[in-house]
Amino acid sequence: METMKKSVLYSREAIRQRVLELGEEVSKAYENRELVVIGVLKGAFMFTADLVRALSIPCRIDFVRLASYRAGTETSGRIELTKDIEIPIAGKDVLVVEDIVDTGLTMKFLEENLKARNPRSLKVCAFIDKRLRRKVPFEADFVGFTMDDGFVVGYGLDFDEQGRFLPDVCVLSQEK
Ligand code: XMP
Ligand code: MG
């Protein structure tokens, strides 16, 4: 990745602003409810941390880790839950916090897995929605940013475990 060009797509300031707006939206949607936020590791760790701090309502927080076997930047569609939640969600209002919805396969898988545990409601908040790349129909309920194509790193997102620490979201391209 060091040899690739990185251009800022969403600056830390733009992200901060958008996350505050999302926090308000989510808080309104869950007033007087028992919200359980489930962050999807590792990509959504920063987004989850910022989003819950932007909420004006209480919530409980848990995490899942999913492995989707990828060849380069393309998903194979084979997905596995490698770390499960520890908080029971039956009867609770659950908000899954994901970094990117791309083909939609990962969120479809997680949605089915969590629905089987009978939450009161289940919604998804995606930091980025790559709408044009869907292989299965999937609509996130809350979306931070929408982008067409391109591979991004930073703000928790990685290319082969590199770039997660970056405070801005950057698009990677081949030229130096
Ligand atoms: P699907 O295709 O199942 O995949 O919707 C969603 C997962 O793919 C990862 N993904 C990315 N990760 N930069 C990343 O660091 C990207 O541009 C990108 N696009 C997809 C992401 O982990 C998400 O959970
Ligand atoms: Mg990733």
Side-chain angles (χ1 to χ4, degrees), residues 44-156:
F45 85 98
M46 264 189 212
F47 179 44
T48 306
D50 285 345
L51 184 68
V52 294
R53 282 181 287 186
L55 297 180
S56 55
I57 52 162
C59 67
R60 282 183 286 168
I61 304 165
D62 208 338
F63 292 94
V64 289
R65 173 118 172 86
L66 295 165
S68 62
Y69 298 88
R70 295 183 157 263
T73 58
E74 289 299 315
T75 183
S76 68
R78 202 160 63 83
I79 298 150
E80 236 176 73
L81 191 69
T82 57
K83 185 231 169 286
D84 203 355
I85 44 171
E86 289 149 32
I87 298 177
I89 57 167
K92 304 290 188 262
D93 290 285
V94 173
L95 180 68
V96 171
V97 178
E98 169 66 316
D99 56 356
I100 298 188
V101 182
D102 187 16
T103 62
L105 290 163
T106 306
M107 277 306 96
K108 201 99 222 156
F109 169 89
L110 186 61
E111 194 177 60
E112 275 167 28
N113 182 295
L114 295 176
K115 268 190 182 158
R117 307 173 202 203
N118 302 313
R120 181 180 180 278
S121 71
L122 180 64
K123 289 187 176 177
V124 173
C125 177
F127 177 61
I128 295 174
D129 189 352
K130 290 189 182 173
R131 298 194 61 82
L132 301 179
R133 291 188 29 100
R134 289 292 194 286
K135 286 186 181 156
V136 291
F138 183 84
E139 287 290 332
D141 302 275
F142 306 92
V143 173
F145 298 94
T146 301
M147 62 182 278
D148 292 345
D149 208 349
F151 199 82
V152 287
V153 298
Y155 196 64

Side-chain angles (χ1 to χ4, degrees), residues 146-171:
T146 301
M147 62 182 278
D148 292 345
D149 208 349
F151 199 82
V152 287
V153 298
Y155 196 64
L157 298 160
D158 73 304
F159 177 74
D160 216 2
E161 293 302 329
Q162 296 177 79
R164 278 196 210 280
F165 66 95
L166 296 167
D168 307 304
V169 169
C170 303
V171 182

